[in-house]
Amino acid sequence: MRKVQISTTVQPQATSKQLMIRPLSFGYNAETGQTNVFQHDVLMKRDPAVAAREEFDAMVANLAAAGVEVTVFEDREDVASPDAVFSNNWVSFHQSGKVVLYPMLAENRRRERRLDIIESLRDKFQVEEIIDLSHFEKEGKFLEGTGSMVFDRRFKIAYAALSPRTHLEPLQAFSEAMGYEIVQFSASDEKGYPLYHTNVMMCIGDGFAVVCLNALKNEDERYNLRKVLEETDKQIIEIFPEQLAAFAGNMLMVRNNQNQKMMVMSTAAFHSLSTQQKTILEEFTARLIYADLSVIEALGGGSARCMMTEIHLPEK
């Protein structure tokens, strides 16, 4: 297995600035359900779109109360986007001033890409270049942003579990454009179904990594992943399949306006963690923030990390 060339940068792993899209037409998306085993077409007692907005608003309030700066954009009324709340799949923002647009598997998710949002951010942030990888959709090849990739921004490594939504060619294109080393592997749940996104099984923080190593069935790939994490000075906090199913891998480390590091997750993820796992996370961060996302998780198959798009762009 090819040795990863590790190099450190001055770029911080976490930021206090987050972009989030308030959902309007949230609901079960049949186009994504075929590749997302976390997603369930369950009958709700109340309007799921209304329930999702309530969960979203509560999460934003929790983040704001902790001093995290959230820029909220409203979903568009004239475009039906059941998964618009998962903005991290179509765009990523980088300290270099580069913005990357990504190719999406589901046709009805491609309409989530919004240049109006990027233009709005130009008022406050420097946007030097937009790198558009969406042309890979014409070839049937996909890379769904920081769902498909989990970044170690300090070491410029992108961890990626190959799946129907994560293909080698756009991964390589991202690597060449952004100077990231790729650590690729295959990952699946206990029944052998491929994990649709890498960010449901791992999270990178400063000095630690939350990861479900059991999801890697290939011993060489599992060894290599552990090795790279250890070589980049990460304490491994291993989670297990039942915790993965509760979205314990779908966390994000953020900073607040006091430069304190915090971990954001759902209530389900928080309660799935052991006391020891929480204690270790609290050694690395000032606070664990969690919110009830049960409707968004059940129908959308994504959780807290999927809802947050980090704005690492330099400010003007």
Side-chain angles (χ1 to χ4, degrees):
M1 193 161 291
R2 187 164 64 93
K3 180 177 175 60
V4 174
Q5 301 298 316
I6 296 173
S7 61
T8 58
T9 71
V10 295
Q11 181 162 332
Q13 177 67 18
T15 177
S16 64
K17 298 170 179 61
Q18 307 294 326
L19 179 152
M20 298 179 68
I21 308 292
R22 189 169 188 263
L24 183 63
S25 53
F26 176 84
Y28 178 80
N29 186 349
E31 288 192 30
T32 59
Q34 296 178 5
T35 55
N36 184 345
V37 297
F38 294 83
Q39 190 179 340
H40 305 287
D41 188 11
V42 295
L43 183 64
M44 293 284 169
K45 294 182 179 179
R46 54 195 300 246
D47 185 342
V50 174
R53 281 193 292 276
E54 291 176 357
E55 290 181 352
F56 176 92
D57 290 343
M59 178 175 168
V60 170
N62 285 356
L63 291 169
V68 180
E69 181 183 334
V70 183
T71 300
V72 176
F73 287 88
E74 295 288 335
D75 193 7
R76 293 172 293 182
E77 294 184 6
D78 59 335
V79 179
S81 301
D83 287 324
V85 71
F86 303 133
S87 57
N88 80 313
N89 296 149
W90 65 266
V91 66
S92 63
F93 302 101
H94 300 265
Q95 185 67 34
S96 60
K98 294 181 180 180
V99 176
V100 185
L101 301 177
Y102 294 99
M104 314 272 280
L105 170 62
E107 289 188 17
N108 68 359
R109 291 209 64 192
R110 298 170 189 176
R111 63 187 67 147
E112 294 173 25
R113 290 190 294 261
R114 291 175 55 182
L115 293 180
D116 65 300
I117 288 177
I118 297 172
E119 289 304 312
S120 178
L121 292 177
R122 286 182 188 270
D123 293 340
K124 185 176 180 181
F125 301 97
Q126 296 179 36
V127 176
E128 302 295 337
E129 182 183 2
I130 298 176
I131 298 169
D132 190 351
L133 301 179
S134 64
H135 60 87
F136 279 102
E137 291 169 353
K138 298 176 182 177
E139 303 174 32
K141 297 169 184 175
F142 313 107
L143 183 68
E144 298 190 337
T146 52
S148 289
M149 298 176 289
V150 172
F151 294 150
D152 186 330
R153 293 179 183 266
R154 191 178 300 278
F155 288 90
K156 297 204 78 173
I157 297 172
Y159 296 92
L162 301 181
S163 76
R165 304 197 196 184
T166 305
H167 291 119
L168 282 173
E169 290 84 350
L171 262 174
Q172 186 59 38
F174 172 85
S175 172
E176 293 173 358
M178 299 300 298
Y180 270 66
E181 190 77 16
I182 303 297
V183 175
Q184 68 194 53
F185 46 85
S186 297
S188 57
D189 66 9
E190 287 190 294
K191 295 181 180 179
Y193 293 111
L195 296 181
Y196 77 108
H197 278 161
T198 313
N199 74 1
V200 297
M201 59 151 289
M202 68 181 297
C203 163
I204 297 292
D206 278 334
F208 68 93
V210 177
V211 60
C212 183
L213 292 170
N214 284 356
L216 279 67
K217 305 305 189 283
N218 182 289
E219 291 185 10
D220 290 338
E221 291 182 341
R222 192 185 317 130
Y223 171 82
N224 187 61
L225 176 57
R226 180 186 287 275
K227 182 171 180 288
V228 175
L229 291 172
E230 290 174 347
E231 287 177 348
T232 53
D233 302 320
K234 302 294 188 296
Q235 179 173 341
I236 294 175
I237 304 171
E238 188 170 0
I239 58 172
F240 300 95
E242 63 275 14
Q243 295 176 309
L244 183 149
F247 293 97
N250 199 242
M251 307 180 191
L252 182 65
M253 189 182 79
V254 304
R255 293 178 184 268
N256 68 0
N257 50 21
Q258 302 298 313
N259 208 32
Q260 295 174 311
K261 300 172 187 176
M262 301 181 173
M263 286 296 289
V264 184
M265 67 196 76
S266 72
T267 299
F270 177 82
H271 288 306
S272 76
L273 296 174
S274 69
T275 300
Q276 182 181 18
Q277 289 168 328
K278 292 174 185 175
T279 298
I280 297 173
L281 285 173
E282 288 168 342
E283 290 174 357
F284 286 99
T285 60
R287 180 176 169 185
L288 306 184
I289 302 173
Y290 54 94
D292 178 16
L293 302 173
S294 53
V295 172
I296 291 174
E297 289 175 334
L299 291 179
S303 190
R305 196 277 167 266
C306 302
M307 298 166 62
M308 306 176 68
T309 302
E310 305 155 277
I311 306 176
H312 280 271
L313 297 171
E315 292 190 70
K316 288 184 174 179

